[in-house]
Amino acid sequence: YLEPLGTPLHSFSIGSFETITLSVHLWSEQHETPDTLMKTSLRQILTQQTPHLLEALIRAKELVHWFRDNRFCGRCGKPMEISYAQSAFSCKACNFLSFPRLSPACIVLIIRGDEVLLARSPHFIKGVYSLIAGFVEAGESAEACAKREVKEEVGVEIEDLRYFGTQSWPFPHSLMIGFFATYKSGEICIQEDEIEDAQWFTKETLPIRPYSTSIASQMLEAWLDKR
């Protein structure tokens, strides 16, 4: 069924599930999609996938970003070549290697008694609120990142961080590190260039939640199970 697309620029295996081999085929962004195929985005189908297939789709999306961002060497500017032996891009001119990129980010569920603090970005679907999140800066620990991001985005102090888990999130290549935290002090004061609104919610007043497949939704579900 991919024959109408012609020969891809790159093809590579990304794993297997039961008896099925999973592969990624990459064409140029200008390549036209034939009428026999339907074009969609990963966001549109996130909630429709089994955990195994979702993991493969996330890996595929992150590798596509890696391919498109490494056509030329970041050190000397010469064209890069794929090295399948090392799962890396290689520059033959200066021997620089570029491996798939991961950007660690912390995501925090802040708890105050029977309430949780949730916020929404202007980029969210209407009515959706989620957890506070942000990227780890160079030289920063995940715990320090969590406290800094919460203070910057909603103006409150947190304490008693408890690790929840991690999730790869391909927008574009994040590794989300989840923490529960206890509210310590401060009043909500949003960072307006990042946050549109932030509020305390109870179990009964929870707004629309993010994608059910996201770590944010999983953390909220874990909190609800303890209520």
Side-chain angles (χ1 to χ4, degrees):
Y1 61 93
L2 294 178
E3 289 181 1
L5 285 168
T7 304
L9 296 174
H10 299 284
S11 297
F12 52 98
S13 173
I14 58 169
S16 61
F17 174 58
E18 295 180 346
T19 59
I20 304 171
T21 299
L22 305 173
S23 301
V24 170
H25 305 281
L26 181 63
W27 289 266
S28 72
E29 294 179 69
Q30 292 75 36
H31 201 88
E32 291 188 9
T33 304
D35 295 336
T36 54
L37 297 175
M38 182 180 70
K39 196 172 184 178
T40 187
S41 70
L42 182 55
R43 286 189 187 274
Q44 291 177 297
I45 59 173
L46 272 176
T47 60
Q48 305 169 21
Q49 311 306 319
T50 63
H52 289 92
L53 186 53
L54 179 63
E55 183 178 323
L57 287 170
I58 287 173
R59 175 169 168 76
K61 183 76 158 51
E62 292 180 345
L63 289 175
V64 167
H65 282 292
W66 174 57
F67 264 75
R68 289 179 173 164
D69 292 345
N70 287 274
R71 291 180 297 171
F72 299 94
C73 178
R75 182 176 291 170
C76 72
K78 297 294 177 62
M80 297 282 271
E81 297 181 15
I82 187 69
S83 171
Y84 291 98
Q86 300 183 77
S87 296
F89 272 105
S90 171
C91 177
K92 301 302 181 185
C94 70
N95 296 319
F96 176 71
L97 291 175
S98 175
F99 294 91
R101 180 178 177 181
L102 286 177
S103 301
C106 291
I107 184 164
V108 190
L109 179 59
I110 307 163
I111 301 168
R112 185 180 70 176
D114 292 330
E115 300 174 304
V116 290
L117 196 158
L118 303 178
R120 64 168 280 106
S121 161
H123 308 295
F124 287 177
I125 296 171
K126 185 178 179 180
V128 171
Y129 281 70
S130 189
L131 282 55
I132 304 302
F135 289 104
V136 180
E137 294 185 352
E140 187 177 47
S141 70
E143 293 80 3
C145 169
K147 293 179 179 181
R148 174 184 55 76
E149 284 290 340
V150 169
K151 181 65 175 175
E152 288 178 356
E153 294 195 0
V154 292
V156 303
E157 303 276 354
I158 57 173
E159 60 185 359
D160 188 27
L161 269 67
R162 288 97 63 198
Y163 174 75
F164 173 78
T166 63
Q167 181 185 49
S168 287
W169 197 244
F171 303 107
H173 34 61
S174 305
L175 177 62
M176 307 302 296
I177 307 167
F179 290 101
F180 290 110
T182 302
Y183 166 82
K184 181 180 180 182
S185 63
E187 298 296 327
I188 294 175
C189 179
I190 63 172
Q191 185 180 16
E192 293 185 356
D193 59 339
E194 294 278 345
I195 301 295
E196 183 177 80
D197 185 40
Q199 300 180 38
W200 291 102
F201 295 94
T202 65
K203 176 182 178 181
E204 291 74 26
T205 63
L206 279 180
I208 302 172
R209 287 188 256 166
Y211 296 106
S212 60
T213 49
S214 69
I215 191 172
S217 185
Q218 294 166 21
M219 292 173 72
L220 280 167
E221 198 63 41
W223 173 74
L224 286 169
D225 287 345
K226 294 179 180 179
R227 307 294 356 113

